Amino acid sequence: MPWPAEEVVLSLEKITVEFDGFRAVNGMDLSLRKNEVHFLIGPNGAGKTTMLDVMCGKARPASGRILFRDRIDLSKKKEHQIAQLGIGRKFQAPSIFSELTVEENLALSLQKKKGVFSVLFARRKEEDARAIERMLSTIGLGEVSGRRAGGLSHGQKQWLEIGMLLIQEPAVVLLDEPVAGMTDAETEKTGELLRRISVDRCVLVVEHDMEFVRQFAGKVTIMHEGKLLMEGTMDEVQADARVAEVYLGKRRDADVVGAPA
Ligand SMILES: Nc1ncnc2c1ncn2[C@@H]1O[C@H](COP(=O)(O)OP(=O)(O)OP(=O)(O)O)[C@@H](O)[C@H]1O
């Protein structure tokens, strides 16, 4: 393997988040490593989205440590500083510009990064064009690059959003239910895209679609009531009695989690 699989890029230790005294996250640990698609799952209200909020600076932990690259403590940093350090989050709400073409949307995202780092990383026009070309190919939208983003299918819009995030070259990519509302074919393509982009990068996905998790997970972390319930491969998770118990009666797809692969 070209990179050490065990390299931890982002590490959250004993994170607690409170909302008016209510502990949405309660002493949670989570480590993100390069080269694996890592899924964060758990019943509704388990604290998954709050964990993503903590990682990108949208929510402040009451206690705990967030270490990026082993030395930078993110818990005191502001949202934009965390984004600049290379932690990219795709929210469920769309952020593409419908009236602009696919290519123009990517160019705008690239410009945003350049705006921040323009002095250090001034790029030439041809380099920008190459970066956009590469990204179009990565997200499979080369053939529709000149099309208005508003006219894309739901799946294509999601891939464009992922491309807009990736073109800023984040070290960590955080995604919240990326395949919600997608067709089976789009879901499959998205899984393959996540695998490709996890090379030399951390990809963390909050997901409810257990079939998708089963198919594409490298690692699965399960949260329950703000805490870590267990972590492992999908096979290990499916074989765990506590996991079945947490899901049983709480989600319709509990049988999917508990079922053998
Ligand atoms: N801003 C907030 N103010 C008060 N309570 C909140 C806030 N955000 C989240 N919570 C509560 O914290 C708990 C965890 O919420 P969170 O959204 O992180 O769960 P989740 O695992 O992502 O759930 P879901 O799968 O339903 O999205 C829930 O009980 C939720 O109601």
Side-chain angles (χ1 to χ4, degrees):
M1 197 175 276
W3 298 280
E6 68 282 359
E7 187 180 340
V8 174
V9 177
L10 190 63
S11 155
L12 290 92
E13 297 162 13
K14 302 206 171 0
I15 298 294
T16 296
V17 182
E18 295 185 351
F19 297 113
D20 299 323
F22 167 70
R23 289 204 165 170
V25 175
N26 192 356
M28 179 70 189
D29 293 322
L30 185 68
S31 290
L32 305 189
R33 291 174 164 80
K34 278 185 183 181
N35 302 320
E36 66 187 2
V37 183
H38 188 158
F39 282 89
L40 181 59
I41 68 172
N44 293 318
K48 307 177 295 291
T49 305
T50 306
M51 282 296 282
L52 291 191
D53 289 347
V54 165
M55 286 178 237
C56 72
K58 199 165 169 261
R60 292 266 159 234
S63 60
R65 235 171 33 141
I66 315 164
L67 272 189
F68 180 54
R69 296 200 193 284
D70 237 11
R71 60 195 158 81
I72 306 170
D73 186 356
L74 299 185
S75 56
K76 306 280 181 300
K77 299 228 180 273
K78 301 204 166 70
E79 233 177 314
H80 73 274
Q81 293 173 315
I82 294 176
Q84 277 169 29
L85 282 166
I87 292 154
R89 165 109 179 251
K90 179 183 143 353
F91 289 91
Q92 274 177 320
S95 65
I96 56 173
F97 294 96
S98 305
E99 295 309 317
L100 299 182
T101 66
V102 169
E103 199 174 335
E104 285 165 347
N105 269 285
L106 288 173
L108 212 62
S109 263
L110 186 58
Q111 197 59 44
K112 235 160 76 185
K113 178 185 169 81
K114 279 175 55 185
V116 172
F117 294 110
S118 58
V119 182
L120 287 173
F121 300 107
R123 291 190 201 220
R124 291 196 309 274
K125 270 204 159 119
E126 315 87 77
E127 281 180 69
D128 287 358
R130 272 203 297 276
I132 292 168
E133 205 57 45
R134 271 200 308 276
M135 192 47 64
L136 283 167
S137 152
T138 302
I139 58 177
L141 296 183
E143 284 178 13
V144 294
S145 62
R147 202 181 287 174
R148 212 176 52 85
L152 298 176
S153 72
H154 172 69
Q156 288 172 324
K157 282 181 186 161
Q158 298 300 310
W159 301 328
L160 175 55
E161 294 225 21
I162 292 174
M164 289 164 70
L165 195 63
L166 288 178
I167 208 162
Q168 302 192 2
E169 297 169 11
V172 178
V173 173
L174 308 172
L175 304 169
D176 209 342
E177 298 198 57
V179 297
M182 283 191 183
T183 64
D184 287 351
E186 287 173 336
T187 299
E188 177 90 21
K189 271 193 171 180
T190 305
E192 283 157 11
L193 173 62
L194 296 188
R195 277 210 179 130
R196 281 201 304 280
I197 69 172
S198 70
V199 172
D200 205 24
R201 191 182 279 122
C202 300
V203 176
L204 181 72
V205 186
V206 166
E207 191 53 73
H208 279 300
D209 182 336
M210 289 306 155
E211 191 46 47
F212 182 61
V213 177
R214 196 209 309 263
Q215 225 180 327
F216 292 101
K219 182 185 285 169
V220 183
T221 299
I222 306 198
M223 283 187 80
H224 179 49
E225 295 176 349
K227 293 182 178 155
L228 175 67
L229 183 70
M230 89 160 282
E231 189 168 86
T233 63
M234 193 60 187
D235 283 346
E236 288 166 346
V237 160
Q238 283 180 183
D240 193 279
R242 289 168 304 164
V243 175
E245 198 182 308
V246 159
Y247 271 86
L248 274 170
K250 295 203 172 180
R251 295 193 54 79
R252 275 186 297 121
D253 51 8
D255 54 336
V256 178
V257 176

